[in-house]
């Protein structure tokens, strides 16, 4: 099946962890879908593709979702007439483990750009493709936000992550209402603690104990 003849799944943060697991699941159980795996490092995406079965219908794009250039790269990787059935927003940035009172403005903006702005503006950019799925295939397109318990609870030292994930949760709720008019379903999932590279970063934290008190308990 050619890349232009099937519907698509677009997965951000697909090079490892939950994103790579989503890629494997979709690639192996939905043979009529092309998958566009998005991540910042091409070598890691290639590894994820092989773990997903190495199918030719798994396509890779190295892009930074936090930038307008990265979003343009993702959109241009799809055929102009592509129908997007699934859009999974999984890319996320923990940011510095430090009190909010000490967060650098530019660093905080980078966390905002990745965790909050990227899913909003990528959704906007892919709306024509999502609407095409609903109108041409008689199948409702689905957008999934991979959320976190940090969207609902405060964790000392994780302020930038908690704040952006809380906004991400409200974004899903607003989009679910708005996009229902276009037969596009929007959902959110809180997977709990999963052994991902982000968890490695948390476990390996070596900063001041008052920046992450839970780490020392």
């Amino acid at each position: 099946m050619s890349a232009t003849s099937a519907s698509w799944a677009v997965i951000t943060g697909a090079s490892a962890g939950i994103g790579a697991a989503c890629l494997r699941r979709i690639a192996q159980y939905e043979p009529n879908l092309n998958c566009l795996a998005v991540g910042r490092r091409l070598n890691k995406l290639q590894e994820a593709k092989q773990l997903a079965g190495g199918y030719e219908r798994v396509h890779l794009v190295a892009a930074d979702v936090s930038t307008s250039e990265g979003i343009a790269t993702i959109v241009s990787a799809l055929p102009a007439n592509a129908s997007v059935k699934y859009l999974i927003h999984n890319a996320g940035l923990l940011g510095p483990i430090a009190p909010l009172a000490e967060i650098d403005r530019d660093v905080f903006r980078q966390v905002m750009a990745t965790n909050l702005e990227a899913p909003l503006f990528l959704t906007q950019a892919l709306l024509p493709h999502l609407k095409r799925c609903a109108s041409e295939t008689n199948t409702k397109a689905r957008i999934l936000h991979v959320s976190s318990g940090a969207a609902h609870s405060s964790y000392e030292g994780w302020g930038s992550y908690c704040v952006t994930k809380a906004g991400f949760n409200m974004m899903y709720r607003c989009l679910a209402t708005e996009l229902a008019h276009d037969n596009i379903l929007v959902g959110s999932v809180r997977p709990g603690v999963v052994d991902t590279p982000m968890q490695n970063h948390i476990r390996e934290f070596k900063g001041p104990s008052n920046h992450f008190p839970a780490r020392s308990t």
Side-chain angles (χ1 to χ4, degrees), residues 29-67:
Y29 287 91
E30 297 226 23
N32 293 324
L33 274 183
N34 286 299
C35 295
L36 185 63
V38 180
R40 287 179 295 172
R41 293 173 293 177
L42 184 59
N43 63 321
K44 292 297 184 180
L45 287 171
Q46 290 168 336
E47 292 174 7
K49 176 176 179 175
Q50 291 309 308
L51 290 173
Y55 300 107
E56 290 186 7
R57 53 191 167 79
V58 174
H59 307 268
L60 311 177
V61 58
D64 183 349
V65 295
S66 72
T67 67

